[in-house]
Amino acid sequence: MITFLRSLFNSRIGLIVSFVFIVLVAISFAGADITGSMGSGSALGGSTVAEVGKHDISTEELSMRVNNQLDVQRRQMPGIDMTSFVNAGGFEDTLEQMINVRALEEFARSVGLGVSKRLVDGEIASIPAFNGPNGQFDRTTFLSVLAQRKVTEKQLRDDISADLFTRQMLVPVAGASRVPAAIARPYAALTLESRSGLVGFVPSAAMARGNPPTQAELDAYYKQNAARYTVPERRVIRYAPFGKAMLADKAKPTEAEIAAAYKADAAKYAASETRNLTQVILQDQNAARAFEAKVKAGTSFAAAAQQAGLEPATLAAQDRAKLTDLASKAVADAAFSAAQGAVTAPQRSGLGWHVVRVDAIQTIPAKSLDSVRAEITATLAKQKLDAAVADLAAKIEDAIADGATFDEVVKANGLQAVSTPPITSAGVDPDSPNFRPDPAFIRLIEPAFDAAVDDDPMVETIAQGEQYALSDVERIVPAAPRPLAQIRDQVVKAFELERASRQAKAIADAIVAKASKGVPLAQAISEAGVKLPAPESIGGRRMELTAGGQRVPPPLALLFSMVEKRTKRLEAPGKQGWFIVYLDKITPGDIASQPQLVASLQAEMTRVTGQEYVSQFANAAKAELGVKRNEKAAATLKRQLAGTDSVQ
């Protein structure tokens, strides 16, 4: 359920470092509502779950971190909710991570390590979410992103500082973990080991059904397994979309606006002229006059330039303004006063003396209002529509800031409100499996699950500059088990399956007892008193079982953890029955057949050893500083997060 989270914790340094990673992921992916204190109180009271040295970890801070971890996990598993996350161990993992980080940070400070403001600044500047339009760090963007995510600059800096402290401690520790080849060699031989045996199966379905459960039995079973039947927290979300579609009619430009735009851009639509020119630039005025005279006397422009040791330059489609910028006003005036084919008298610019030949003249007639009406209308409509959407969004946000309610804003602005049924954070209605939310609404679910009922309505972006929505949490339905009356048949089946599983276990135990006394497994199974399938052969080479990262069947995994000539039982998934595994023979591996395995396993063992060094170093730091845990406060918070506080 939390593979991604556990893979982070189980990396070489990830077990200890770095809850700052969670904050940065939340920022980068527009993630969770990160709120809360970074620690409060000094006594190990009800608001503190752990005390690490002189640093307290409050329930508020832990709750914040758990929510942030869940948000990151949702990137890998969109359907996961808080109840599933907590039940899968996410709560304990997060608390342990926080304790480790705080212990290492305090220990680093105690031995004189430091983290400068400049180093923290560098880490912040390297976060892409804080880059401006030019791709570089932009403080305005930085502050805006933090404000959107409700993260203070101090919180972010404290987290980055803690991360840097722990890395200073742990990178050298993890790096000193090289495992000698002599240690890796016997493990390499173990990967080549082969095993063979038998597996039998006692299915729960083969057991007698028995009497229906009594009401008392059913009540007790339901209470013990309440988490199994718990519906995750659900929320009723109201939203009112608005954007360009609803404002299009109001953004049509009037005739007066079209005429005013035409007049404002009169120069753009006026008749214009461009010229194709050829020029040379000389540094001396007399030389320029001589060049002009030679060309006017009959020498070609190109030949005269070659004789002067120059290369003429061609200037295509020049207008007067462009040539003025390129050369000077005097050069442009002369070029645009000359007739086609004429050569101008030398004119000066910052580059020297220009002699220009007019090669061609293109005259562009003026454009009438009617000829550009469609172009102007489209441009004005877009400008007005963009402004109208921005103005409406600002108007709504201002109204919310002034205390207006969702209903008041909807009424004042003529919006159409929609209410969802109670849905989970995955957008699912457990009471109506066919419910499918509006695709545009999906973007509103995550921020709505980070808000509270009494929070102000929010303006959320659906498509930047195009569509927005006013969103509000109308009601929260806490996570709770479904009433037994609604799922009675389901609970009865589960009760009967568990009872059958216990009966199957008793039979499996009897078979194991016989096989352990030397009775062949096939005979012990046939004498079980219940018709069971005959045992089958299993086995293989250890290294082949996990090739390609495939999942090893549980009976086969058990076979490779047993002693030769022994028999063990193993529960099948979903209480479907019990496997009985017998290990007949172990064939040792020979590393001479695959010597490259030693180096490969040596590298893997070095990585694992680095993890252990890091873990033990963290344990030593905790022992040095002292860690006190408030188990009662932690258990209460866990129940609250999982939504099981009301289940007695």
Side-chain angles (χ1 to χ4, degrees), residues 407-554:
D407 292 325
E408 290 170 344
V409 173
V410 167
K411 182 177 180 180
N413 294 280
L415 306 183
Q416 294 294 321
V418 179
S419 287
T420 69
I423 60 173
T424 67
S425 60
V428 175
D429 177 7
D431 295 329
S432 180
N434 295 326
F435 169 77
R436 294 292 182 273
D438 180 347
F441 165 73
I442 292 174
R443 297 177 65 94
L444 309 180
I445 296 176
E446 185 175 327
F449 268 80
D450 289 330
V453 172
D454 56 354
D455 282 355
D456 291 337
M458 300 173 287
V459 174
E460 299 291 347
T461 301
I462 295 176
Q464 184 66 43
E466 297 283 336
Q467 188 176 13
Y468 300 85
L470 179 66
S471 175
D472 186 47
V473 179
E474 181 178 347
R475 180 163 57 94
I476 297 177
V477 181
R482 290 187 180 279
L484 177 57
Q486 290 183 6
I487 54 172
R488 183 181 179 84
D489 291 345
Q490 179 184 347
V491 178
V492 168
K493 288 180 181 178
F495 176 89
E496 291 178 340
L497 179 60
E498 185 160 320
R499 182 171 61 186
S501 175
R502 290 195 299 269
Q503 294 170 355
K505 177 177 179 293
I507 292 175
D509 286 341
I511 293 172
V512 170
K514 278 190 175 183
S516 298
K517 294 178 180 179
V519 177
L521 183 59
Q523 179 182 338
I525 289 175
S526 66
E527 296 173 352
V530 178
K531 188 175 181 179
L532 301 174
E536 298 179 2
S537 298
I538 59 169
R541 193 158 63 168
R542 187 184 294 270
M543 68 178 298
E544 294 168 351
L545 300 183
T546 56
Q550 62 185 352
R551 182 176 179 272
V552 181

Side-chain angles (χ1 to χ4, degrees), residues 205-228:
M207 304 299 105
R209 182 171 181 179
N211 296 324
T214 66
Q215 187 61 47
E217 289 175 326
L218 210 56
D219 288 341
Y221 179 80
Y222 170 76
K223 183 176 180 180
Q224 292 169 358
N225 295 275
R228 184 186 305 179

Side-chain angles (χ1 to χ4, degrees), residues 188-194 541 587-595 597:
L190 189 62
T191 66
L192 299 174
E193 174 190 277
S194 296
R541 193 158 63 168
T587 303
D590 180 11
I591 59 173
S593 63
Q594 296 192 44
L597 280 178

